[in-house]
Amino acid sequence: MAAVTRNERPTLVILGALGDLTTRLLIPGLAGLVRGHDTQVELLGSGREELDDDQWRERVAQAAGPDPGSALEALIRDTRYVQADATDPAELERLLAACSGPPVLYLALSPAVAAQACRALAEVALPADARLVMEKPFGTDLAEAKELNRLITTLVPEDQVYRVDHYLGMSTVLNIIGLRFANRVLESVLDSDHVAGVDILLDESLGLEGRAGYYDQAGALVDMLQSHALHVLSFLAMEPPSSLDAQDLRDGAAAVLRATRVWQNDPVGSSRRARYTAGTVGDRSLPSYVDEDGVDPDRGTETFAEVTVEVNTWRWAGVPFRLRAGKALRRLDKHVVITFREPKWVPEGLLGCTHTDRVHIGLDPEVLRLDFNVNGPADPRTVERVQMTVQLAPGDLPPYGQVLAGVLTGNPTLSVRGDAAEQTWRIVEPVLRAWRDGHVPLQEYVAGSDGPASDRSPE
Ligand SMILES: O=P(O)(O)OC[C@H]1O[C@@H](O)[C@H](O)[C@@H](O)[C@@H]1O
Protein backbone atom coordinates (compact mmCIF):
# COMPACT_ATOMS: atom_id res chain seq x y z
CA MET A 1 0.00 0.00 0.00
CA ALA A 2 1.24 3.52 -0.75
CA ALA A 3 2.62 5.61 2.11
CA VAL A 4 0.62 8.65 3.14
CA THR A 5 2.56 11.88 2.66
CA ARG A 6 2.88 14.45 5.42
CA ASN A 7 0.63 17.13 3.92
CA GLU A 8 -2.31 14.75 3.51
CA ARG A 9 -1.70 13.15 6.89
CA PRO A 10 -5.07 11.91 8.15
CA THR A 11 -6.26 12.19 11.72
CA LEU A 12 -7.41 8.85 13.04
CA VAL A 13 -10.09 9.52 15.64
CA ILE A 14 -10.94 6.46 17.69
CA LEU A 15 -14.38 6.83 19.25
CA GLY A 16 -14.57 4.30 22.06
CA ALA A 17 -10.87 4.81 22.74
CA LEU A 18 -10.92 3.25 26.19
CA GLY A 19 -12.60 0.04 25.04
CA ASP A 20 -11.09 -3.39 24.77
CA LEU A 21 -10.95 -3.31 20.94
CA THR A 22 -8.79 -0.18 20.98
CA THR A 23 -6.15 -1.40 23.41
CA ARG A 24 -6.12 -5.07 22.34
CA LEU A 25 -6.25 -4.70 18.57
CA LEU A 26 -6.39 -1.18 17.11
CA ILE A 27 -3.36 0.35 18.83
CA PRO A 28 -1.13 -2.72 18.27
CA GLY A 29 -2.26 -2.77 14.60
CA LEU A 30 -1.54 0.94 14.25
CA ALA A 31 1.80 0.52 16.00
CA GLY A 32 2.84 -2.18 13.50
CA LEU A 33 1.88 0.09 10.65
CA VAL A 34 3.70 3.16 11.94
CA ARG A 35 6.77 1.20 13.04
CA GLY A 36 7.42 -0.65 9.83
CA HIS A 37 5.53 1.08 7.04
CA ASP A 38 6.31 4.76 7.17
CA THR A 39 2.67 5.64 7.76
CA GLN A 40 2.01 9.25 8.70
CA VAL A 41 -1.01 9.68 10.92
CA GLU A 42 -2.21 11.80 13.79
CA LEU A 43 -4.07 9.91 16.52
CA LEU A 44 -6.92 11.29 18.61
CA GLY A 45 -8.57 9.17 21.29
CA SER A 46 -12.10 9.96 22.32
CA GLY A 47 -14.54 8.57 24.84
CA ARG A 48 -17.19 9.60 27.34
CA GLU A 49 -14.80 9.04 30.23
CA GLU A 50 -12.60 11.78 31.67
CA LEU A 51 -8.92 11.29 30.93
CA ASP A 52 -6.04 13.69 30.42
CA ASP A 53 -3.63 13.60 27.49
CA ASP A 54 -0.83 12.07 29.56
CA GLN A 55 -3.02 9.25 30.82
CA TRP A 56 -4.11 8.56 27.25
CA ARG A 57 -0.49 8.60 26.00
CA GLU A 58 0.41 6.14 28.72
CA ARG A 59 -2.38 3.80 27.58
CA VAL A 60 -1.31 4.08 23.94
CA ALA A 61 2.35 3.44 24.82
CA GLN A 62 1.44 0.35 26.82
CA ALA A 63 -0.82 -1.05 24.12
CA ALA A 64 1.76 -0.34 21.41
CA GLY A 65 4.33 -2.56 23.12
CA PRO A 66 8.10 -2.28 23.56
CA ASP A 67 10.68 -0.82 21.16
CA PRO A 68 8.47 1.82 19.57
CA GLY A 69 11.11 3.39 17.32
CA SER A 70 11.17 7.09 16.47
CA ALA A 71 8.02 7.31 14.29
CA LEU A 72 5.85 5.63 16.90
CA GLU A 73 7.42 7.66 19.69
CA ALA A 74 6.45 10.82 17.81
CA LEU A 75 2.89 9.55 17.33
CA ILE A 76 2.60 8.82 21.06
CA ARG A 77 4.09 12.17 21.99
CA ASP A 78 1.60 14.06 19.77
CA THR A 79 -1.56 12.05 20.42
CA ARG A 80 -4.36 13.73 22.36
CA TYR A 81 -7.52 12.70 24.13
CA VAL A 82 -10.82 14.51 23.63
CA GLN A 83 -13.63 13.70 26.03
CA ALA A 84 -16.82 13.56 23.97
CA ASP A 85 -20.14 11.78 23.73
CA ALA A 86 -20.21 10.21 20.26
CA THR A 87 -23.99 10.46 20.13
CA ASP A 88 -24.08 14.24 20.64
CA PRO A 89 -23.75 16.35 17.44
CA ALA A 90 -22.28 19.37 19.27
CA GLU A 91 -19.57 17.24 20.85
CA LEU A 92 -18.81 15.58 17.52
CA GLU A 93 -18.36 19.06 15.99
CA ARG A 94 -15.86 19.84 18.74
CA LEU A 95 -14.03 16.60 18.06
CA LEU A 96 -13.84 17.32 14.33
CA ALA A 97 -12.46 20.77 15.04
CA ALA A 98 -9.57 19.13 16.92
CA CYS A 99 -8.41 17.20 13.82
CA SER A 100 -5.43 18.65 11.95
CA GLY A 101 -5.88 16.45 8.86
CA PRO A 102 -8.71 14.68 7.00
CA PRO A 103 -10.71 12.96 9.76
CA VAL A 104 -10.95 9.19 9.81
CA LEU A 105 -13.69 8.43 12.31
CA TYR A 106 -13.26 4.91 13.68
CA LEU A 107 -16.41 3.92 15.55
CA ALA A 108 -15.02 1.35 18.00
CA LEU A 109 -18.45 1.25 19.62
CA SER A 110 -21.19 -1.31 20.16
CA PRO A 111 -23.59 -1.65 17.18
CA ALA A 112 -26.35 0.27 19.00
CA VAL A 113 -24.10 3.20 19.97
CA ALA A 114 -22.44 3.22 16.52
CA ALA A 115 -25.89 3.59 14.94
CA GLN A 116 -26.69 6.47 17.29
CA ALA A 117 -23.33 8.08 16.46
CA CYS A 118 -24.19 7.87 12.73
CA ARG A 119 -27.51 9.58 13.40
CA ALA A 120 -25.67 12.31 15.31
CA LEU A 121 -23.15 12.69 12.46
CA ALA A 122 -26.06 13.40 10.11
CA GLU A 123 -26.50 16.68 12.00
CA VAL A 124 -22.85 17.65 11.71
CA ALA A 125 -21.06 19.33 8.82
CA LEU A 126 -18.62 16.56 7.91
CA PRO A 127 -15.65 17.58 5.73
CA ALA A 128 -15.89 16.17 2.19
CA ASP A 129 -12.77 14.05 2.70
CA ALA A 130 -13.95 12.46 5.99
CA ARG A 131 -13.81 8.67 6.20
CA LEU A 132 -16.04 6.52 8.37
CA VAL A 133 -14.96 3.19 9.83
CA MET A 134 -17.58 0.81 11.22
CA GLU A 135 -16.90 -2.34 13.21
CA LYS A 136 -18.74 -5.63 12.93
CA PRO A 137 -21.48 -6.62 13.47
CA PHE A 138 -22.82 -4.06 11.02
CA GLY A 139 -26.32 -3.60 12.44
CA THR A 140 -28.14 -6.36 14.26
CA ASP A 141 -30.25 -7.71 11.39
CA LEU A 142 -30.94 -7.14 7.70
CA ALA A 143 -33.45 -4.35 8.26
CA GLU A 144 -31.03 -2.47 10.50
CA ALA A 145 -28.08 -2.98 8.16
CA LYS A 146 -30.15 -1.54 5.31
CA GLU A 147 -31.21 1.43 7.41
CA LEU A 148 -27.62 2.02 8.50
CA ASN A 149 -26.41 1.87 4.90
CA ARG A 150 -29.08 4.35 3.87
CA LEU A 151 -28.03 6.71 6.63
CA ILE A 152 -24.31 6.36 6.00
CA THR A 153 -24.60 7.21 2.33
CA THR A 154 -26.06 10.56 3.37
CA LEU A 155 -22.88 11.18 5.40
CA VAL A 156 -20.03 10.18 3.07
CA PRO A 157 -19.75 8.39 -0.31
CA GLU A 158 -19.53 4.57 -0.22
CA ASP A 159 -15.81 4.52 -1.11
CA GLN A 160 -15.11 6.54 2.06
CA VAL A 161 -16.91 3.98 4.24
CA TYR A 162 -14.87 1.15 5.73
CA ARG A 163 -16.89 -1.73 7.21
CA VAL A 164 -14.27 -3.70 9.05
CA ASP A 165 -14.00 -7.46 9.02
CA HIS A 166 -10.47 -8.10 10.22
CA TYR A 167 -10.44 -11.55 8.57
CA LEU A 168 -10.06 -9.68 5.28
CA GLY A 169 -6.79 -8.37 6.71
CA MET A 170 -5.46 -11.80 7.70
CA SER A 171 -2.52 -12.80 5.54
CA THR A 172 -3.80 -16.38 5.41
CA VAL A 173 -7.21 -15.27 4.14
CA LEU A 174 -5.58 -12.99 1.55
CA ASN A 175 -3.48 -15.97 0.56
CA ILE A 176 -6.64 -17.75 -0.65
CA ILE A 177 -6.64 -15.34 -3.57
CA GLY A 178 -2.97 -16.03 -4.37
CA LEU A 179 -3.35 -19.76 -3.92
CA ARG A 180 -6.33 -19.95 -6.22
CA PHE A 181 -5.47 -17.52 -8.97
CA ALA A 182 -1.69 -17.84 -9.21
CA ASN A 183 -1.84 -21.64 -9.58
CA ARG A 184 -3.47 -23.38 -12.48
CA VAL A 185 -3.21 -26.74 -10.75
CA LEU A 186 -5.68 -25.89 -7.99
CA GLU A 187 -8.06 -23.43 -9.61
CA SER A 188 -8.95 -25.76 -12.46
CA VAL A 189 -10.42 -28.35 -10.07
CA LEU A 190 -12.31 -25.98 -7.82
CA ASP A 191 -15.87 -26.69 -8.92
CA SER A 192 -18.73 -29.08 -8.34
CA ASP A 193 -17.32 -31.63 -10.81
CA HIS A 194 -14.35 -32.17 -8.51
CA VAL A 195 -15.16 -30.87 -5.04
CA ALA A 196 -17.39 -32.88 -2.70
CA GLY A 197 -17.57 -30.28 0.08
CA VAL A 198 -15.90 -27.31 1.71
CA ASP A 199 -15.61 -26.75 5.46
CA ILE A 200 -14.76 -23.42 7.04
CA LEU A 201 -14.02 -24.25 10.68
CA LEU A 202 -13.21 -21.52 13.18
CA ASP A 203 -12.46 -23.26 16.46
CA GLU A 204 -11.34 -21.14 19.40
CA SER A 205 -10.02 -22.29 22.74
CA LEU A 206 -10.80 -18.92 24.37
CA GLY A 207 -13.99 -18.59 26.37
CA LEU A 208 -15.88 -15.38 26.95
CA GLU A 209 -12.89 -13.29 28.13
CA GLY A 210 -15.08 -10.80 29.99
CA ARG A 211 -17.04 -9.82 26.86
CA ALA A 212 -20.48 -10.99 28.00
CA GLY A 213 -22.00 -7.54 27.46
CA TYR A 214 -21.47 -7.88 23.73
CA TYR A 215 -21.26 -11.63 23.18
CA ASP A 216 -24.42 -12.65 25.00
CA GLN A 217 -26.38 -10.44 22.58
CA ALA A 218 -24.56 -11.76 19.52
CA GLY A 219 -23.75 -15.46 19.95
CA ALA A 220 -21.45 -17.51 17.73
CA LEU A 221 -23.63 -17.27 14.63
CA VAL A 222 -23.56 -13.47 14.46
CA ASP A 223 -20.12 -13.07 16.03
CA MET A 224 -18.28 -15.38 13.64
CA LEU A 225 -20.38 -16.92 10.84
CA GLN A 226 -22.42 -13.91 9.69
CA SER A 227 -19.17 -12.02 9.23
CA HIS A 228 -15.81 -13.81 9.21
CA ALA A 229 -16.84 -17.22 7.85
CA LEU A 230 -19.00 -15.78 5.05
CA HIS A 231 -16.24 -13.42 3.93
CA VAL A 232 -13.78 -16.33 3.83
CA LEU A 233 -16.37 -18.20 1.76
CA SER A 234 -16.61 -15.27 -0.65
CA PHE A 235 -12.85 -15.49 -1.32
CA LEU A 236 -12.97 -19.26 -1.72
CA ALA A 237 -15.88 -19.28 -4.13
CA MET A 238 -15.49 -16.09 -6.18
CA GLU A 239 -14.88 -16.10 -9.92
CA PRO A 240 -11.40 -14.92 -10.93
CA PRO A 241 -11.40 -11.12 -10.62
CA SER A 242 -9.59 -9.31 -13.41
CA SER A 243 -7.67 -7.19 -10.90
CA LEU A 244 -7.26 -6.73 -7.17
CA ASP A 245 -8.68 -3.25 -7.19
CA ALA A 246 -11.51 -2.45 -4.84
CA GLN A 247 -14.27 -2.70 -7.41
CA ASP A 248 -13.20 -5.97 -9.04
CA LEU A 249 -12.49 -7.81 -5.81
CA ARG A 250 -15.58 -6.58 -4.02
CA ASP A 251 -17.81 -7.24 -7.06
CA GLY A 252 -16.53 -10.83 -7.03
CA ALA A 253 -17.17 -11.25 -3.32
CA ALA A 254 -20.64 -9.69 -3.49
CA ALA A 255 -21.66 -11.92 -6.42
CA VAL A 256 -20.81 -15.02 -4.36
CA LEU A 257 -22.76 -13.77 -1.36
CA ARG A 258 -25.78 -12.96 -3.53
CA ALA A 259 -25.76 -16.56 -4.76
CA THR A 260 -25.45 -18.06 -1.27
CA ARG A 261 -28.29 -19.38 0.83
CA VAL A 262 -28.94 -21.92 3.53
CA TRP A 263 -28.53 -25.47 2.24
CA GLN A 264 -31.70 -26.64 0.48
CA ASN A 265 -33.55 -23.72 2.08
CA ASP A 266 -33.74 -25.79 5.25
CA PRO A 267 -32.42 -23.77 8.20
CA VAL A 268 -33.53 -26.42 10.69
CA GLY A 269 -31.91 -29.45 9.03
CA SER A 270 -28.75 -27.62 8.09
CA SER A 271 -27.80 -25.92 11.35
CA ARG A 272 -26.67 -26.85 14.85
CA ARG A 273 -26.16 -24.74 17.96
CA ALA A 274 -24.71 -25.46 21.37
CA ARG A 275 -23.14 -23.82 24.41
CA TYR A 276 -20.36 -24.92 26.69
CA THR A 277 -20.65 -26.31 30.18
CA ALA A 278 -17.89 -26.20 32.83
CA GLY A 279 -14.63 -27.82 31.81
CA THR A 280 -10.90 -27.41 31.37
CA VAL A 281 -9.22 -25.92 28.32
CA GLY A 282 -5.49 -26.61 28.49
CA ASP A 283 -4.66 -25.66 32.05
CA ARG A 284 -7.56 -23.21 32.49
CA SER A 285 -10.82 -24.11 34.18
CA LEU A 286 -13.85 -22.46 32.66
CA PRO A 287 -17.26 -22.17 34.29
CA SER A 288 -20.37 -23.06 32.31
CA TYR A 289 -21.25 -20.33 29.83
CA VAL A 290 -24.44 -19.63 31.78
CA ASP A 291 -22.40 -19.00 34.94
CA GLU A 292 -20.07 -16.48 33.27
CA ASP A 293 -20.39 -12.91 34.64
CA GLY A 294 -22.99 -10.90 32.78
CA VAL A 295 -24.64 -13.80 30.93
CA ASP A 296 -28.42 -14.07 30.94
CA PRO A 297 -28.98 -17.85 31.16
CA ASP A 298 -32.52 -17.55 29.79
CA ARG A 299 -31.37 -15.87 26.62
CA GLY A 300 -30.20 -19.17 25.18
CA THR A 301 -27.11 -17.70 23.50
CA GLU A 302 -25.02 -20.26 21.63
CA THR A 303 -21.23 -20.42 21.86
CA PHE A 304 -21.02 -22.93 19.00
CA ALA A 305 -22.77 -22.51 15.67
CA GLU A 306 -22.76 -24.57 12.50
CA VAL A 307 -24.61 -23.78 9.30
CA THR A 308 -24.35 -25.44 5.90
CA VAL A 309 -24.92 -23.21 2.90
CA GLU A 310 -24.97 -23.59 -0.87
CA VAL A 311 -23.57 -21.28 -3.51
CA ASN A 312 -25.99 -21.36 -6.40
CA THR A 313 -23.75 -20.76 -9.38
CA TRP A 314 -22.75 -22.90 -12.35
CA ARG A 315 -19.43 -23.60 -10.64
CA TRP A 316 -20.63 -24.50 -7.15
CA ALA A 317 -24.26 -25.70 -7.28
CA GLY A 318 -24.69 -28.86 -5.18
CA VAL A 319 -21.49 -28.42 -3.11
CA PRO A 320 -22.14 -28.05 0.63
CA PHE A 321 -20.13 -25.31 2.36
CA ARG A 322 -20.20 -26.01 6.07
CA LEU A 323 -19.44 -23.01 8.31
CA ARG A 324 -18.66 -23.63 11.95
CA ALA A 325 -17.39 -21.59 14.89
CA GLY A 326 -17.12 -22.35 18.56
CA LYS A 327 -15.61 -21.01 21.76
CA ALA A 328 -13.92 -22.94 24.59
CA LEU A 329 -13.03 -25.83 22.30
CA ARG A 330 -10.09 -28.17 22.81
CA ARG A 331 -7.71 -26.13 20.70
CA LEU A 332 -7.38 -23.05 18.56
CA ASP A 333 -7.66 -24.19 14.95
CA LYS A 334 -9.16 -22.00 12.24
CA HIS A 335 -8.98 -23.57 8.85
CA VAL A 336 -10.63 -24.45 5.59
CA VAL A 337 -10.82 -27.99 4.22
CA ILE A 338 -11.62 -28.62 0.57
CA THR A 339 -12.56 -32.29 0.15
CA PHE A 340 -12.39 -33.64 -3.38
CA ARG A 341 -14.63 -36.30 -4.93
CA GLU A 342 -13.46 -39.86 -5.43
CA PRO A 343 -11.35 -40.55 -8.51
CA LYS A 344 -13.59 -41.28 -11.53
CA TRP A 345 -12.05 -44.72 -11.87
CA VAL A 346 -9.38 -46.54 -9.90
CA PRO A 347 -7.55 -49.17 -11.99
CA GLU A 348 -8.49 -52.68 -10.92
CA GLY A 349 -5.78 -54.10 -8.73
CA LEU A 350 -4.73 -50.75 -7.24
CA LEU A 351 -5.38 -51.07 -3.53
CA GLY A 352 -5.58 -48.78 -0.53
CA CYS A 353 -7.42 -45.95 -2.22
CA THR A 354 -9.76 -45.33 0.69
CA HIS A 355 -9.51 -41.57 1.16
CA THR A 356 -10.17 -38.74 -1.20
CA ASP A 357 -7.81 -35.80 -1.66
CA ARG A 358 -8.01 -32.79 0.60
CA VAL A 359 -6.55 -29.32 0.67
CA HIS A 360 -6.26 -27.90 4.16
CA ILE A 361 -5.78 -24.13 4.35
CA GLY A 362 -4.78 -23.12 7.87
CA LEU A 363 -5.90 -19.58 8.72
CA ASP A 364 -4.56 -19.78 12.27
CA PRO A 365 -2.15 -21.51 12.73
CA GLU A 366 -0.71 -20.66 9.30
CA VAL A 367 -0.20 -23.90 7.49
CA LEU A 368 -1.08 -25.34 4.12
CA ARG A 369 -1.50 -29.08 3.67
CA LEU A 370 -2.33 -31.41 0.84
CA ASP A 371 -3.55 -34.91 1.76
CA PHE A 372 -3.27 -37.33 -1.13
CA ASN A 373 -2.49 -40.91 -2.13
CA VAL A 374 0.89 -42.15 -3.41
CA ASN A 375 2.29 -45.57 -4.09
CA GLY A 376 3.73 -47.19 -0.99
CA PRO A 377 7.52 -47.72 -0.98
CA ALA A 378 7.50 -51.50 -1.41
CA ASP A 379 4.31 -52.34 -3.19
CA PRO A 380 3.46 -50.63 -6.50
CA ARG A 381 -0.11 -51.94 -6.26
CA THR A 382 -0.99 -50.26 -2.98
CA VAL A 383 -1.30 -46.56 -2.32
CA GLU A 384 -0.72 -44.85 1.00
CA ARG A 385 -2.02 -41.66 2.41
CA VAL A 386 0.59 -38.88 2.66
CA GLN A 387 0.50 -35.25 3.70
CA MET A 388 2.50 -32.48 2.11
CA THR A 389 2.74 -29.58 4.52
CA VAL A 390 3.95 -26.04 4.00
CA GLN A 391 4.45 -23.78 6.99
CA LEU A 392 3.44 -20.28 5.95
CA ALA A 393 5.29 -17.27 7.30
CA PRO A 394 3.03 -14.97 9.34
CA GLY A 395 2.14 -11.64 7.72
CA ASP A 396 4.37 -8.71 8.67
CA LEU A 397 1.29 -6.78 9.83
CA PRO A 398 -1.39 -8.06 12.19
CA PRO A 399 -4.87 -8.14 10.60
CA TYR A 400 -5.87 -4.84 12.20
CA GLY A 401 -2.65 -3.27 10.88
CA GLN A 402 -3.66 -4.37 7.38
CA VAL A 403 -7.19 -3.05 7.87
CA LEU A 404 -5.85 0.31 9.08
CA ALA A 405 -3.41 0.47 6.17
CA GLY A 406 -6.39 0.41 3.82
CA VAL A 407 -8.32 2.95 5.86
CA LEU A 408 -5.41 5.41 6.18
CA THR A 409 -4.37 5.21 2.54
CA GLY A 410 -7.96 5.53 1.32
CA ASN A 411 -8.10 2.05 -0.20
CA PRO A 412 -11.37 0.22 0.59
CA THR A 413 -10.40 -3.09 -1.11
CA LEU A 414 -10.25 -5.02 2.15
CA SER A 415 -13.34 -3.56 3.72
CA VAL A 416 -16.87 -4.87 3.34
CA ARG A 417 -19.04 -3.06 0.82
CA GLY A 418 -22.56 -2.07 1.87
CA ASP A 419 -24.35 -4.57 -0.39
CA ALA A 420 -22.15 -7.43 0.86
CA ALA A 421 -22.89 -6.47 4.47
CA GLU A 422 -26.61 -6.75 3.72
CA GLN A 423 -26.20 -10.09 1.95
CA THR A 424 -24.49 -11.69 4.93
CA TRP A 425 -27.51 -10.82 7.08
CA ARG A 426 -29.91 -12.13 4.42
CA ILE A 427 -28.04 -15.46 4.40
CA VAL A 428 -28.17 -16.07 8.15
CA GLU A 429 -31.60 -14.66 8.94
CA PRO A 430 -33.58 -17.87 8.26
CA VAL A 431 -31.30 -19.64 10.75
CA LEU A 432 -31.63 -16.89 13.35
CA ARG A 433 -35.41 -17.14 13.01
CA ALA A 434 -35.46 -20.94 13.28
CA TRP A 435 -33.30 -20.76 16.40
CA ARG A 436 -35.34 -17.98 17.94
CA ASP A 437 -38.51 -20.00 17.37
CA GLY A 438 -36.93 -23.00 19.10
CA HIS A 439 -36.90 -25.29 16.03
CA VAL A 440 -33.27 -26.29 16.57
CA PRO A 441 -32.29 -27.73 19.98
CA LEU A 442 -29.57 -25.94 21.96
CA GLN A 443 -27.06 -28.72 22.64
CA GLU A 444 -24.29 -28.66 25.24
CA TYR A 445 -20.60 -29.51 25.09
CA VAL A 446 -17.98 -29.61 27.77
CA ALA A 447 -15.46 -26.74 27.64
CA GLY A 448 -12.19 -28.17 26.33
CA SER A 449 -13.91 -30.81 24.18
CA ASP A 450 -14.29 -30.91 20.38
CA GLY A 451 -17.81 -29.49 20.60
CA PRO A 452 -21.16 -31.27 20.44
CA ALA A 453 -21.11 -34.74 18.86
CA SER A 454 -21.67 -34.67 15.12
CA ASP A 455 -22.35 -37.36 12.55
CA ARG A 456 -19.86 -35.77 10.17
CA SER A 457 -16.19 -35.11 10.72
CA PRO A 458 -14.21 -33.68 7.84
CA GLU A 459 -11.03 -32.74 9.68
O1 LIG B 1 -9.30 -15.22 14.66
P1 LIG B 1 -9.07 -13.99 15.48
O2 LIG B 1 -8.29 -12.95 14.76
O3 LIG B 1 -8.54 -14.34 16.84
O4 LIG B 1 -10.51 -13.35 15.70
C1 LIG B 1 -11.48 -14.02 16.43
C2 LIG B 1 -12.35 -13.01 17.15
O5 LIG B 1 -13.04 -12.27 16.16
C3 LIG B 1 -13.90 -11.27 16.68
O6 LIG B 1 -14.50 -10.58 15.61
C4 LIG B 1 -14.93 -11.90 17.56
O7 LIG B 1 -15.78 -10.89 18.10
C5 LIG B 1 -14.28 -12.69 18.68
O8 LIG B 1 -15.25 -13.35 19.47
C6 LIG B 1 -13.30 -13.68 18.11
O9 LIG B 1 -12.58 -14.26 19.18
Side-chain angles (χ1 to χ4, degrees):
M1 306 238 176
V4 181
T5 58
R6 177 59 70 173
N7 57 5
E8 45 185 30
R9 185 179 81 148
T11 301
L12 175 63
V13 185
I14 303 182
L15 297 106
L18 304 193
D20 171 66
L21 176 73
T22 304
T23 36
R24 211 165 43 85
L25 297 166
L26 291 182
I27 300 294
L30 183 65
L33 199 55
V34 172
R35 218 186 254 120
H37 293 256
D38 189 28
T39 300
Q40 304 290 335
V41 56
E42 176 191 40
L43 176 66
L44 281 193
S46 179
R48 284 179 132 122
E49 305 80 353
E50 199 180 326
L51 200 74
D52 66 31
D53 286 344
D54 284 340
Q55 288 169 312
W56 165 243
R57 284 180 193 125
E58 180 58 35
R59 289 178 79 101
V60 174
Q62 272 204 356
D67 305 326
S70 57
L72 191 53
E73 269 171 7
L75 178 134
I76 295 170
R77 190 188 57 233
D78 295 343
T79 186
R80 286 166 294 139
Y81 180 82
V82 179
Q83 186 182 6
D85 175 353
T87 63
D88 180 333
E91 301 205 8
L92 287 170
E93 293 269 16
R94 194 163 49 78
L95 191 54
L96 286 166
C99 299
S100 68
V104 177
L105 302 176
Y106 198 121
L107 308 190
L109 305 165
S110 70
V113 182
Q116 283 181 45
C118 287
R119 282 191 283 275
L121 282 170
E123 295 175 38
V124 166
L126 268 180
D129 53 4
R131 286 167 238 171
L132 190 61
V133 191
M134 307 280 296
E135 262 296 328
K136 66 156 263 285
F138 183 75
T140 52
D141 57 20
L142 176 58
E144 215 182 272
K146 281 186 170 168
E147 177 53 24
L148 210 48
N149 272 336
R150 195 199 54 73
L151 177 63
I152 284 173
T153 47
T154 65
L155 305 177
V156 289
E158 172 64 33
D159 62 359
Q160 290 166 223
V161 181
Y162 296 77
R163 295 174 196 77
V164 172
D165 186 298
H166 76 277
Y167 270 49
L168 296 181
M170 276 171 85
S171 58
T172 43
V173 172
L174 299 175
N175 184 41
I176 293 172
I177 299 291
L179 189 65
R180 286 190 56 198
F181 302 127
N183 295 299
R184 191 152 182 158
V185 66
L186 190 56
E187 185 51 27
S188 54
V189 289
L190 287 187
D191 60 27
S192 59
D193 287 344
H194 301 283
V195 174
V198 178
D199 296 286
I200 301 173
L201 307 171
L202 308 177
D203 292 358
E204 298 188 84
S205 53
L206 291 180
L208 205 47
E209 309 299 311
R211 295 168 71 221
Y214 153 73
Y215 192 87
D216 201 40
Q217 308 277 330
L221 176 55
V222 166
D223 186 48
M224 295 293 280
L225 301 193
Q226 184 269 337
S227 45
H228 304 322
L230 280 171
H231 293 303
V232 171
L233 175 139
S234 73
F235 275 23
L236 280 166
M238 76 164 64
E239 292 307 316
S242 73
S243 82
L244 291 187
D245 77 16
Q247 175 152 4
D248 284 339
L249 200 71
R250 300 201 301 174
D251 279 353
V256 171
L257 295 171
R258 276 201 304 279
T260 301
R261 69 210 54 197
V262 169
W263 182 249
Q264 296 177 344
N265 275 328
D266 175 13
V268 175
S270 52
S271 72
R272 295 196 299 151
R273 59 177 177 148
R275 68 182 170 193
Y276 62 83
T277 55
T280 308
V281 187
D283 53 8
R284 289 179 312 135
S285 295
L286 289 188
S288 282
Y289 176 73
V290 292
D291 294 328
E292 295 266 20
D293 276 352
V295 164
D296 172 1
D298 299 329
R299 222 185 142 82
T301 300
E302 79 289 352
T303 58
F304 174 102
E306 183 178 289
V307 177
T308 302
V309 298
E310 57 194 29
V311 180
N312 289 327
T313 59
W314 180 277
R315 184 197 278 261
W316 290 114
V319 177
F321 283 74
R322 186 169 62 127
L323 319 178
R324 183 181 88 190
K327 290 223 180 267
L329 294 172
R330 187 164 56 86
R331 61 192 172 118
L332 162 76
D333 191 2
K334 297 172 185 166
H335 66 278
V336 173
V337 183
I338 302 170
T339 304
F340 288 88
R341 295 189 186 283
E342 290 179 354
K344 287 188 178 166
W345 171 251
V346 177
E348 283 171 16
L350 185 59
L351 307 174
C353 209
T354 50
H355 296 284
T356 59
D357 302 339
R358 275 184 188 157
V359 173
H360 171 119
I361 305 172
L363 307 177
D364 184 9
E366 297 113 339
V367 69
L368 199 61
R369 205 179 73 212
L370 176 62
D371 300 352
F372 62 131
N373 301 312
V374 299
N375 272 107
D379 182 354
R381 290 170 167 271
T382 306
V383 291
E384 283 178 6
R385 189 76 169 159
V386 293
Q387 296 186 334
M388 208 158 73
T389 304
V390 181
Q391 201 62 50
L392 300 169
D396 66 339
L397 272 180
Y400 267 93
Q402 198 65 258
V403 164
L404 285 168
V407 169
L408 295 175
T409 55
N411 181 346
T413 308
L414 299 181
S415 75
V416 178
R417 208 168 59 189
D419 56 337
E422 292 180 15
Q423 288 301 323
T424 55
W425 280 116
R426 181 204 42 82
I427 294 165
V428 301
E429 276 202 343
V431 182
L432 284 170
R433 263 197 305 276
W435 290 8
R436 205 177 301 131
D437 296 345
H439 297 315
V440 177
L442 180 62
Q443 296 172 260
E444 291 190 332
Y445 60 100
V446 178
S449 69
D450 288 322
S454 151
D455 48 1
R456 211 182 131 208
S457 172
E459 298 96 314

